[in-house]
Amino acid sequence: MEDLFLTQDQANQLTKTVKCFLKRYSAILRERSRGKMVVEDKDGRKFCIHYLFAAGNNHIQFMDAKTKLTLVRINLNDSFHKNADGSIITGNRVNVFSESEYYEKADGTTHTRAFPLPYSNIRNSDDFIEALHDLLDYTEVRQQDKLNLTIETDLFK
């Protein structure tokens, strides 16, 4: 099995370094909307925030653009994640980068450990916009006023 491109200490540092949006981002969220936002830290390192917006199945993933590794991912759905220790986390959850999970699970891909929501300052909410802002706060993303997301009003009728 290959080594990860990040250590736990490096991932923790990248998660907690202050980042800002590169440009304004506007979107109207409709069923099955997908998108990507880019943020950057003071040293020019870029991060991507990928999202899927769907009824009962929302995902918001914060990735390091250089290594393509997930640092934090929020899943708002009824699915599950099985951690290396055998624990199964169901429902709304957060997956956080874990070097030890990568080596313990030893499947060559899994590099996050799941925790039920709430977790740290990330609330247990089915509200996509609220979860996104919690993720941005958790990952120290500033200039959130550059973000303008609107949910199509008749989406869930």
Side-chain angles (χ1 to χ4, degrees):
M1 182 169 58
E2 295 181 27
D3 284 338
L4 277 172
F5 296 112
L6 288 176
T7 66
Q8 189 66 55
D9 287 340
Q10 290 169 324
N12 293 346
Q13 180 62 34
L14 290 175
T15 300
K16 292 303 175 185
T17 188
V18 172
K19 294 162 277 296
C20 295
F21 280 97
L22 286 179
K23 58 183 179 178
R24 293 197 174 280
Y25 185 86
S26 294
I28 297 173
L29 301 177
R30 296 177 175 90
E31 179 61 20
R32 309 282 316 156
S33 289
R34 295 176 183 269
K36 178 175 103 172
M37 298 168 254
V38 179
V39 297
E40 185 177 72
D41 70 13
K42 64 180 173 33
D43 297 323
R45 188 159 189 152
K46 292 184 175 141
F47 303 85
C48 298
I49 304 165
H50 296 271
Y51 66 86
L52 166 66
F53 178 80
N57 191 23
N58 294 304
H59 304 274
I60 310 165
Q61 182 173 358
F62 186 84
M63 296 177 61
D64 174 37
K66 182 177 179 181
T67 63
K68 307 289 190 251
L69 293 173
T70 299
L71 299 175
V72 182
R73 176 183 167 110
I74 295 176
N75 299 284
L76 304 178
N77 59 34
D78 290 329
S79 191
F80 71 93
H81 178 92
K82 184 175 181 180
N83 289 321
D85 65 3
S87 63
I88 297 174
I89 309 301
T90 59
N92 292 350
R93 63 201 176 281
V94 62
N95 291 50
V96 179
F97 179 90
S98 172
E99 183 180 20
S100 63
E101 190 77 7
Y102 178 76
Y103 292 112
E104 289 172 32
K105 198 147 193 183
D107 64 5
T109 57
T110 304
H111 60 276
T112 62
R113 179 170 178 80
F115 300 91
L117 290 177
Y119 176 86
S120 188
N121 67 327
I122 302 172
R123 295 168 279 189
N124 184 10
S125 171
D126 290 321
D127 184 304
F128 178 87
I129 301 295
E130 188 174 272
L132 175 60
H133 283 290
D134 286 355
L135 178 90
L136 295 175
D137 289 343
Y138 181 80
T139 57
E140 300 291 336
V141 175
R142 303 292 187 252
Q143 297 180 344
Q144 291 184 29
D145 59 327
K146 287 186 173 183
L147 182 62
N148 182 22
L149 296 177
T150 305
I151 296 174
E152 189 174 79
T153 56
D154 63 347
L155 182 62
F156 298 110
K157 290 184 180 179

